[in-house]
Amino acid sequence: MIVLGLETSCDETGLALYDSEKGLLGQVLYTQMQLHAEYGGVVPELASRDHVRKMVPLLDRLLSQANIQKQQIDAVAYTRGPGLMGALMTGALFGRTLAFALNKPAIGVHHMEGHMLAPLLSEQPPAFPFVALLVSGGHTQLMAAYGIGEYEMLGESIDDAAGEAFDKVAKMMNLPYPGGPNIAKLALQGNTKAFDFPRPMLHKGLVFSFSGLKTAVSVQLKKLDGENRDADIAASFQEAIVDTLVKKSVNALKQTGLKRLVIAGGVSANVRLREQLEQALPKIKAEVFYAEPALCTDNGAMIAFAGYQRLKQGACDSLVVTTTPRWPMTDLNKPSNSLQ
């Protein structure tokens, strides 16, 4: 089965083709980073318009790259949610219309399920069950995954997600958007112990909170008032987030008794986070798995793959186009013949 995946949840337009027998046939990705950089964050209306503008040329490029015809597509998977309403709608309408024209099934996919399953596309995929650390601009969650659609929420952020905190702190420091990569780059020049930033909620179960950390950075920046300590601020701030994510992940593995950690989402590409996980997990005889670098951020491949997993279970959406900007992943716990 060849599945076309469409990702348009935020500011990335990602398309990919996944073959159940041959694997990933090809993928294309257009980022709107420069478009939103001058605003310091994503402008929803601009994001929606750019998705519309790029969808057709990207599909043509993908088909050419994979050397297949539209008629060879067996199903279409698109991101149904969570995400920005307008951005989601552009991908959903395009995907459902294309599927209707080709007389093929279509399926709406949960964006974070796509992220969580992305490491399964690697050469050495993790086996179920595992603990998943889903960490991105919009989500920070610890999930126990026992199989496709068999998920248990262990803990999540009660306010800012880790990626969101990176972006907001970067904006305070007048660093370019997106904040995460720029803070990580600056942190290489700084001292991780220069500032003792808090690790909020560290000893309160598996929930996360990063708004207090963000406030602590703001207070420190005001105290410095012109002192050039940006590298130390970046390094200490990043260390506080990484330390929190690592310790919570270790606690989740201990609590569940599982020995595999899957980390996915844009923040999973953070080098410091990977280094600390690789040091901490062997101490409890656990392993860590990541998606390939190109599949860490939003992409069509993860949607195509997750869509295939649902389609082979018999799931299929009707002609009604549905988007769900707020969609708890635990709603996927019981697969049925329809995701609606």
Side-chain angles (χ1 to χ4, degrees):
M1 175 185 282
I2 297 177
V3 181
L4 170 66
L6 307 172
E7 160 56 24
T8 62
S9 65
C10 191
D11 61 342
E12 311 277 0
T13 313
L15 285 76
L17 288 163
Y18 174 78
D19 188 321
S20 57
E21 295 182 0
K22 299 178 181 179
L24 192 60
L25 299 179
Q27 64 170 326
V28 292
L29 182 69
Y30 172 74
T31 177
Q32 302 175 3
M33 192 181 301
Q34 291 186 342
L35 175 66
H36 301 287
E38 63 177 295
Y39 304 101
V42 178
V43 180
E45 180 61 27
L46 294 180
S48 303
R49 292 179 182 179
D50 225 32
H51 286 311
V52 172
R53 186 169 64 91
K54 285 293 182 178
M55 201 74 71
V56 171
L58 283 174
L59 177 59
D60 290 341
R61 190 198 308 173
L62 175 63
L63 293 172
S64 176
Q65 179 187 114
N67 194 28
I68 72 167
Q69 303 296 314
K70 285 192 187 78
Q71 292 71 20
Q72 293 176 262
I73 297 172
D74 296 306
V76 178
Y78 57 87
T79 303
R80 170 178 156 181
L84 302 175
M85 172 63 88
L88 291 169
M89 186 59 73
T90 59
L93 284 170
F94 183 87
R96 194 64 195 83
T97 301
L98 178 62
F100 178 76
L102 296 174
N103 194 28
K104 303 293 185 180
I107 187 78
V109 171
H110 194 290
H111 177 76
M112 295 310 294
E113 183 176 41
H115 271 306
M116 188 180 72
L117 299 181
L120 274 65
L121 284 165
S122 62
E123 292 184 3
Q124 295 182 319
F128 289 105
F130 54 74
V131 169
L133 173 62
L134 307 177
V135 56
S136 66
H139 299 83
T140 301
Q141 301 174 332
L142 279 165
M143 192 86 61
Y146 302 102
I148 301 296
E150 299 178 55
Y151 310 134
E152 176 190 357
M153 179 68 74
L154 301 175
E156 61 184 331
S157 178
I158 61 174
D159 42 55
D160 291 354
E164 183 181 3
F166 269 113
D167 286 340
K168 289 180 177 178
V169 167
K171 193 170 184 178
M172 292 178 197
M173 299 174 68
N174 296 314
L175 295 175
Y177 173 84
N182 287 296
I183 282 184
K185 183 179 180 180
L186 183 59
L188 293 174
Q189 306 168 37
N191 179 0
T192 60
K193 297 180 180 179
F195 299 97
D196 186 21
F197 289 130
R199 275 68 167 161
M201 310 288 284
L202 189 60
H203 302 294
K204 296 187 178 181
L206 299 177
V207 295
F208 297 90
S209 172
F210 294 108
S211 63
L213 172 58
K214 179 187 65 180
T215 301
V217 173
S218 177
V219 170
Q220 191 62 61
L221 285 169
K222 291 175 182 176
K223 284 183 179 179
L224 293 172
D225 192 25
E227 289 185 42
N228 188 14
R229 299 288 303 279
D230 283 358
D232 287 341
I233 290 280
S236 300
F237 165 71
Q238 177 180 252
E239 196 71 5
I241 286 190
V242 166
D243 191 33
T244 302
L245 294 174
V246 170
K247 288 179 177 177
K248 295 273 187 177
S249 296
V250 168
N251 289 342
L253 289 165
K254 289 179 178 179
Q255 179 177 306
T256 60
L258 299 177
K259 294 298 180 182
R260 286 180 288 271
L261 176 73
V262 165
I263 174 171
V267 181
S268 70
N270 183 280
V271 174
R272 183 64 178 171
L273 177 57
R274 293 191 177 203
E275 289 175 349
Q276 293 299 92
L277 283 171
E278 287 167 5
Q279 288 183 25
L281 266 57
K283 296 176 183 177
I284 58 170
K285 298 181 179 180
E287 299 177 274
V288 59
F289 297 84
Y290 317 98
E292 296 177 7
L295 303 183
C296 287
T297 55
D298 294 351
N299 63 87
M302 69 183 194
I303 301 304
F305 182 69
Y308 167 70
Q309 299 300 324
R310 290 282 169 177
L311 288 159
K312 74 176 184 179
Q313 290 180 337
C316 180
D317 285 351
S318 70
L319 288 175
V320 177
V321 178
T322 302
T323 58
T324 314
R326 295 183 180 274
W327 190 8
M329 200 164 152
T330 48
D331 285 0
L332 303 177
N333 272 0
K334 296 181 179 180
S336 64
N337 290 331
S338 174
L339 287 183
Q340 297 197 47

